[in-house]
Amino acid sequence: FNYAIDSINNVENITITENTITATGERYCDGIQTGNNAKNILIDNNNITCVCINTTELTSEGAITYGVIGTMLGGNGATNMTVTNNNINLTGTANYGIELYWVNTTETHNNNITVNGPFSMGIGYAYSPNGNATQNTITITGDSTTPINLITEEFKPENVGIRIQNGTQNISITENTITTSDIGGQDTTIHTEPDNVTIANNQLT
């Protein structure tokens, strides 16, 4: 498991900015990870490239890439996370541009997210209330006809620009440009299950 920057476990007032990050591997690649009771995190103006492609057959789980992830690994989640002005480029099997998992209060703005691979997600919210996503550019290219091994993740493999699930409340999705494509024809620009979500003034293709 490859982590370029890993800042978790009770960290506070962290700024991760102006880094050029390249992570490659065959099982799991992560540009920036934070969480486990992390508070007041700014991730700004980074160039993140992750490539995770299997060259040998895996008998267990499929390969995963993350650009930025706020997470909870058996402890508390994160609070007050801002992700802005980043260039995220992912290539792999199951890809997650920005994943917010148990993160309360998020600002996700002006990111350029390009994700390529059989199953690709731009931004995902799970158990992460009180978030704003504005003026992000998300481009997803997928192929849901590709068979993959089991993925044990909160977000199941899906070709989607923005995914909101698990009762996440009070999310605003505005002024984003989202383009998705899937050879299998199963892609969506925005896929949301919870109530109390605002989606307005986006350019969706």
Side-chain angles (χ1 to χ4, degrees), residues 5-170:
I5 297 177
D6 192 22
S7 184
I8 62 173
N9 296 329
N10 302 309
V11 297
E12 295 187 18
N13 304 319
I14 300 299
T15 297
I16 301 171
T17 186
E18 297 185 12
N19 300 284
T20 298
I21 295 168
T22 303
T24 62
E26 296 195 6
R27 170 64 181 88
Y28 183 107
C29 292
D30 190 340
I32 299 172
Q33 174 174 267
T34 188
N36 280 16
N37 204 36
K39 299 177 181 177
N40 304 328
I41 307 298
L42 173 63
I43 298 172
D44 178 72
N45 199 29
N46 299 281
N47 293 307
I48 302 169
T49 302
C50 297
V51 178
C52 199
I53 297 175
N54 303 334
T55 59
T56 59
E57 182 178 353
L58 295 177
T59 58
S60 58
E61 297 202 14
I64 302 171
T65 64
Y66 291 97
V68 173
I69 181 171
T71 190
M72 184 270 291
L73 302 172
N76 295 320
T79 304
N80 193 21
M81 181 173 171
T82 299
V83 184
T84 51
N85 305 306
N86 300 283
N87 294 311
I88 299 172
N89 195 314
L90 306 182
T91 301
T93 302
N95 308 293
Y96 304 88
I98 298 173
E99 179 175 311
L100 303 168
Y101 174 61
W102 289 99
V103 185
N104 190 332
T105 308
T106 58
E107 300 291 336
T108 307
H109 309 307
N110 299 306
N111 299 286
N112 189 358
I113 304 169
T114 303
V115 190
N116 300 286
F119 297 91
S120 299
M121 182 185 77
I123 301 173
Y125 296 84
Y127 305 105
S128 297
N130 308 315
N132 296 306
T134 303
Q135 296 183 344
N136 300 284
T137 299
I138 301 171
T139 304
I140 301 298
T141 304
D143 181 2
S144 62
T145 68
T146 303
I148 63 171
N149 289 350
L150 174 71
I151 301 291
T152 306
E153 294 294 316
E154 193 68 33
F155 294 92
K156 300 308 177 186
E158 179 180 357
N159 287 309
V160 59
I162 297 178
R163 180 73 162 101
I164 305 169
Q165 65 183 47
N166 301 103
T168 299
Q169 299 290 317
N170 193 27

